Amino acid sequence: MYSPTVVRYLLGALLMLVPACARAEDGYDLWLRYRPVTDSTRLAEYRALFSRIILPGESATLRVAREELARGLRGLLGSAVTIESTSGSGAIIAGTPATSPYIGRMGLSRELDEAGPEGFVIRRILVRASSGTLASSEMQYLVVAANSDVGVLYGVFHLLRQLENLRPIVQLPVVEHPRVGLRLLNHWDNLDRSVERGYAGLSLWDWASLPDSIPQRYRDYARANASIGINGTVLTNVNANARALTPDHLRKVAALANVFRPYGIKVYLTARFNAPMELGVLTTADPLDSAVRAWWKAKADEIYRLIPDFGGFLVKANSEGQPGPQDYKRTHADGANMLAEAVAPHGGIVMWRAFVYSSEVPVDRIKQAYDEFTPLDGTFLPNVLVQVKNGPLDFQPREPFHPLFGAMPKTPLMMEFQVTKEYLGQDSHLAYLAPLFKEVLDADTWRAGRGSTVAKVVDGSLHGLSRTGIAGVANIGTDRDWTGSQFNQANWYAYGRLAWNPALSAADIADEWIRMTWSRDPAVVTTIRSIMMGSREAVVNYMTPLGLVHIMAEGHHYGPGPWHSRGRPDWTSTYYHRADSTGIGFDRSVTGSNAIEQYAPALRPSFARPDSTDESVLLWFHHVGWDTRMRSGRTLWNELVHRYHGGVDSVRAMQRAWSSLRGTVDNERHAAVDSMLAIQEREARWWRDATLLYFQTFSNRPFPPGYEAPAHPLSFYMNLRCPVDRNRPRCPDIQ
Ligand code: GCW
């Protein structure tokens, strides 16, 4: 019999385990769950080769690589894994020629050349022992080799991903390297820990407790990023606060840089252009003023003393009220080059955003970035990259690709994607963004003939540029599941995978993510993949089909407001949809704003006329009559009705498919997704009914028979007063 004290102790220990188990499936582990492999053939294969790790070296990066490998293998194999220093059959040998005595002798120099500074080689090696009693035995190794420690870490994560996906050993050998140099997250995080367009809690950066307190979460953030090859993070909002550059704050930034460094992640900051004035030192921020230039040089020197591998600055200037060089009648190049000069001696870079539009009412807002930036091609210093949003407007559910891609052959253009879903249902709507990212990356700019894809501009191959980059506006916060909902994790994952290799397919990335995050059961994978792959198009259909954009409500971006017409015209909805009694859409052809002229001559004909334009972007380029026949044979009005209803139907199909998975994935996350889908269905109806009723006041045509009637009259939707976008907004009256 146990004494009462022992019983109490055991009970206490058990009770402590309960919340631990309950926590186990809350999404915190992301795609790094390392659940045991249950397929017995695969397990036997893996155990034979992976129960010993030979990964010598004491650098911080090799240490985390070793820890991750051991942790992953223990989880996957469900058995002991030992870390050893001598060879012997059945082992993983990992390292660089400099850190591992074995790697140098493997004859991998050709493959290592191909792998480059960040890539890796995975090779299976069989060694036949030639003498003595071991004459007949074969020693088997899996080698993970790289030229740098971070390459080893990437190789380790790649290997673990392959095992998570149950790849047979014979399929493991590979030589991999990233196609894009800078693979960054942009956090729009404010110093008070609010996050602009963030829907996942507070900012991860707890500035008040830095630099002293380093919660495990910072490391887990870095692990997750390294696992998908992200190698930089911009910690602060592009709507920048100069205080981020004060000495106190920089010490906190340095502490984060120390945590991220072993994972190959550099930190960057946003630079408020008039910081020299706001911090009370100078009376001008003119980029050609010598005192201003000296201030930035001194600031850069100060930063690099604290953070020797600081990445550089990201700048939003002369856009939406941010200060910039144009305040002094200077150009974007003058501004960017001044900062570039300051960081150049330290190897830093400047990412200058092309998201600019003036506050005067423009003929067509979407034309401004191209008009301002193309004349500057060739005038930026070599360590400047111009960062361009994927489309010319603003992260809408669908836009054509930005015409700047391909139009500045002498300037490295970084892609900026929004991973956070400002305009695609924010935290709650399930919208897998890889198809959106791919649509843009695969778009053909025709700037150097057929096949001049946006991806080739971004990876530098189209114009032979070696400095390349891609940025994703992060969707990460303090929520336990990191991203505000389980499926938003997939967008972080997919962004990183595509930044590493834009040629990957959205479906393959989904498959990987599902197996690592939910289940390896093929039936479950198929169902979840089908939900994910159709999800972005569903959002397009119930929000902005046929090339409509920017018809969200005034004051918030999650609900519909196509009637919004007050204030600055290019912030209204009516400016963009231009509905009237004759039709709907923005004429950007030669008879309108002629924005099509910003695309390559070979591409223009495909946007020139309504009947030559892909229907997915029809109303972006043309004002089209309500009775115009669409490809389906329906009139435009009937097609619009059809698409909006189709969007809602797709969400219902997603709900049914998700329900069918009950019991095949853990209940906790299943229920969490279920309730998000219920919100999505409700809000999809809101978008559909409000928008169609409003457009009907122009079309004056009836809803064709057979479609569900709207739940409320138009006045109900127009009179709704919904909370503004902040963390987790909902409009309480939408039922
Ligand atoms: O889409 C708009 C967002 C702003 C954002 C801006 C930008 C950071 O609504 O919140 O500001 O784009 O990209 O600069």
Side-chain angles (χ1 to χ4, degrees):
M1 277 316 261
Y2 295 113
S3 75
T5 327
V6 172
V7 171
R8 254 202 316 277
Y9 171 80
L10 287 174
L11 272 176
L14 266 177
L15 281 175
M16 278 170 68
L17 278 177
V18 172
C21 297
R23 267 205 311 273
E25 291 293 8
D26 55 12
Y28 182 85
D29 291 340
L30 296 162
W31 48 87
L32 299 174
R33 292 161 75 245
Y34 305 131
R35 292 295 187 268
V37 169
T38 48
D39 175 314
S40 52
T41 321
R42 211 51 90 232
L43 188 60
E45 223 187 19
Y46 290 172
R47 278 192 177 150
L49 198 49
F50 301 135
S51 9
R52 303 188 320 115
I53 298 172
I54 303 164
L55 196 169
E58 280 317 307
S59 80
T61 300
L62 290 176
R63 228 175 299 141
V64 298
R66 194 159 50 229
E67 275 163 29
E68 195 71 35
L69 191 54
R71 168 198 204 133
L73 291 175
R74 278 178 195 134
L76 289 162
L77 307 188
S79 60
V81 171
T82 57
I83 296 175
E84 298 179 14
S85 54
T86 53
S87 69
S89 189
I92 296 180
I93 297 182
T96 71
T99 64
S100 166
Y102 305 106
I103 300 288
R105 292 190 236 129
M106 301 264 179
L108 294 172
S109 53
R110 199 184 42 79
E111 281 134 304
L112 282 171
D113 281 352
E114 202 188 314
E118 287 185 295
F120 53 83
V121 179
I122 295 183
R123 266 273 294 271
R124 185 167 162 236
I125 293 195
L126 295 172
V127 181
R128 199 169 286 281
S130 54
S131 63
T133 53
L134 288 175
S136 61
S137 72
E138 217 172 39
M139 317 241 269
Q140 193 187 191
Y141 304 104
L142 194 87
V143 176
V144 180
N147 294 305
S148 63
D149 293 359
V150 78
V152 176
L153 180 63
Y154 289 154
V156 160
F157 276 118
H158 180 89
L159 174 62
L160 290 170
R161 178 164 50 240
Q162 302 311 303
L163 306 193
E164 283 273 27
N165 279 276
L166 304 183
R167 302 255 194 274
I169 302 262
V170 288
Q171 284 181 15
L172 297 182
V174 72
V175 181
E176 274 268 341
H177 64 90
R179 305 294 200 282
V180 180
L182 301 164
R183 304 176 299 278
L184 308 192
L185 283 178
N186 288 184
H187 287 267
W188 287 355
D189 292 16
N190 298 313
L191 303 189
D192 64 2
R193 294 193 81 181
S194 60
V195 179
E196 181 152 354
R197 313 304 175 192
Y199 315 103
L202 298 177
S203 164
L204 286 182
W205 327 131
D206 185 358
W207 297 115
S209 344
L210 280 164
D212 306 308
S213 155
I214 303 292
Q216 176 59 29
R217 192 151 189 158
Y218 294 160
R219 292 198 181 87
D220 288 334
Y221 164 85
R223 283 176 56 229
N225 279 325
S227 79
I228 47 177
I230 286 171
N231 64 358
T233 181
V234 183
L235 299 173
T236 48
N237 190 354
V238 288
N239 288 329
N241 187 329
R243 264 197 313 117
L245 301 175
T246 56
D248 259 6
H249 207 271
L250 290 173
R251 274 191 288 278
K252 298 168 192 276
V253 174
L256 287 175
N258 291 341
V259 180
F260 300 156
R261 189 169 295 112
Y263 299 88
I265 297 169
K266 285 187 179 183
V267 301
Y268 299 75
L269 290 172
T270 48
R272 179 132 167 112
F273 199 76
N274 65 359
M277 295 163 76
E278 288 197 351
L279 296 177
V281 188
L282 299 176
T283 54
T284 175
D286 181 349
L288 300 191
D289 182 290
S290 56
V292 174
R293 300 171 83 82
W295 187 88
W296 281 109
K297 262 194 165 311
K299 185 51 74 183
D301 294 346
E302 178 189 343
I303 295 175
Y304 281 94
R305 273 195 298 278
L306 287 166
I307 312 163
D309 56 353
F310 178 68
F313 293 124
L314 168 65
V315 189
K316 171 177 178 177
N318 293 119
S319 168
E320 300 187 328
Q322 293 298 305
Q326 293 177 341
D327 303 347
Y328 308 93
K329 308 226 172 330
R330 312 296 186 199
T331 67
H332 287 293
D334 293 329
N337 290 345
M338 170 192 64
L339 293 172
E341 248 173 54
V343 294
H346 308 282
I349 59 146
V350 170
M351 296 163 285
W352 193 268
R353 291 178 90 225
F355 178 69
V356 296
Y357 58 98
S358 71
S359 44
E360 287 117 53
V361 180
V363 182
D364 185 354
R365 166 177 148 185
I366 63 122
K367 290 177 70 178
Q368 294 189 52
Y370 181 98
D371 288 345
E372 282 189 33
F373 276 84
T374 45
L376 300 175
D377 190 27
T379 64
F380 291 98
L381 286 176
N383 59 332
V384 176
L385 298 100
V386 171
Q387 184 167 309
V388 184
K389 285 189 182 180
N390 60 273
L393 182 54
D394 191 12
F395 300 135
Q396 296 299 295
R398 171 169 284 122
E399 292 177 39
F401 72 87
H402 202 302
L404 273 176
F405 289 111
M408 294 183 67
K410 300 188 190 119
T411 311
L413 297 188
M414 281 179 78
M415 168 65 73
E416 179 176 318
F417 283 129
Q418 200 179 42
V419 185
T420 190
K421 306 200 313 298
E422 176 178 357
Y423 299 103
L424 288 98
Q426 305 190 346
D427 63 323
S428 47
H429 297 207
L430 194 166
Y432 175 51
L433 297 181
L436 185 164
F437 301 156
K438 283 295 286 182
E439 186 174 290
V440 180
L441 291 166
D442 292 347
D444 197 341
T445 71
W446 279 90
R447 286 289 172 186
R450 184 192 288 280
S452 308
T453 59
V454 171
K456 286 188 185 164
V457 176
V458 174
D459 73 16
S461 59
L462 191 67
H463 298 126
L465 299 174
S466 55
R467 207 180 274 281
T468 56
I470 180 165
V473 179
N475 61 351
I476 304 160
T478 50
D479 276 7
R480 195 59 203 162
D481 65 17
W482 299 87
T483 53
S485 73
Q486 304 295 331
F487 273 88
N488 283 342
Q489 297 179 357
N491 295 330
W492 178 8
Y493 181 84
Y495 163 70
R497 297 288 287 133
L498 285 171
W500 179 275
N501 183 2
L504 295 176
S505 89
D508 287 350
I509 296 172
D511 278 8
E512 280 177 10
W513 178 79
I514 297 163
R515 291 198 195 98
M516 290 188 281
T517 308
W518 293 100
S519 167
R520 300 186 190 106
D521 174 343
V524 175
V525 174
T526 306
T527 303
I528 300 185
R529 184 206 307 132
S530 75
I531 293 175
M532 290 170 75
M533 289 303 289
S535 60
R536 181 273 188 137
E537 207 57 39
V539 174
V540 169
N541 282 329
Y542 64 72
M543 287 188 182
T544 51
L546 296 172
L548 287 170
V549 286
H550 205 291
I551 52 173
M552 65 284 175
E554 179 181 11
H556 67 85
H557 289 175
Y558 59 94
W563 47 82
H564 170 32
S565 60
R566 282 185 310 193
R568 198 180 145 155
D570 59 343
W571 284 356
T572 66
S573 302
T574 49
Y575 176 90
Y576 292 98
H577 65 66
R578 312 232 159 170
D580 58 24
S581 62
T582 65
I584 182 170
F586 197 125
D587 184 2
R588 294 192 162 100
S589 71
V590 284
T591 56
S593 77
N594 202 17
I596 61 166
E597 199 188 32
Q598 297 184 332
Y599 289 98
L603 198 53
R604 283 177 215 156
S606 59
F607 301 143
R609 295 186 326 271
D611 61 359
S612 66
T613 304
D614 193 295
E615 283 181 358
S616 67
V617 288
L618 180 63
L619 305 179
W620 170 278
F621 286 112
H622 302 283
H623 191 265
V624 181
W626 293 113
D627 293 327
T628 307
R629 287 281 154 202
M630 299 288 103
R631 279 182 199 131
S632 62
R634 297 182 195 96
T635 63
L636 171 63
W637 168 246
N638 286 354
E639 183 70 23
L640 210 55
V641 174
H642 184 74
R643 298 272 178 132
Y644 272 103
H645 281 267
V648 174
D649 292 346
S650 305
V651 178
R652 291 174 180 160
M654 284 156 64
Q655 285 183 295
R656 285 193 298 275
W658 186 255
S659 285
S660 77
L661 295 175
R662 188 166 294 119
T664 63
V665 300
D666 56 282
N667 293 336
E668 192 177 351
R669 288 185 303 162
H670 189 273
V673 173
D674 224 24
S675 49
M676 286 300 190
L677 285 169
I679 296 172
Q680 183 171 5
E681 196 271 344
R682 200 162 64 221
E683 296 190 348
R685 275 188 282 120
W686 175 24
W687 271 92
R688 177 193 70 187
D689 295 343
T691 310
L692 284 176
L693 284 169
Y694 169 76
F695 286 144
Q696 193 179 37
T697 65
F698 298 94
S699 78
N700 282 313
R701 277 134 181 97
F703 292 131
Y707 292 99
E708 207 170 275
H712 305 281
L714 177 59
S715 55
F716 168 85
Y717 298 108
M718 291 182 68
N719 290 328
L720 281 173
R721 293 291 166 262
C722 303
V724 295
D725 291 19
R726 236 173 254 130
N727 200 19
R728 232 165 266 109
R730 305 266 185 270
C731 203
D733 298 329
I734 293 300
Q735 290 310 326

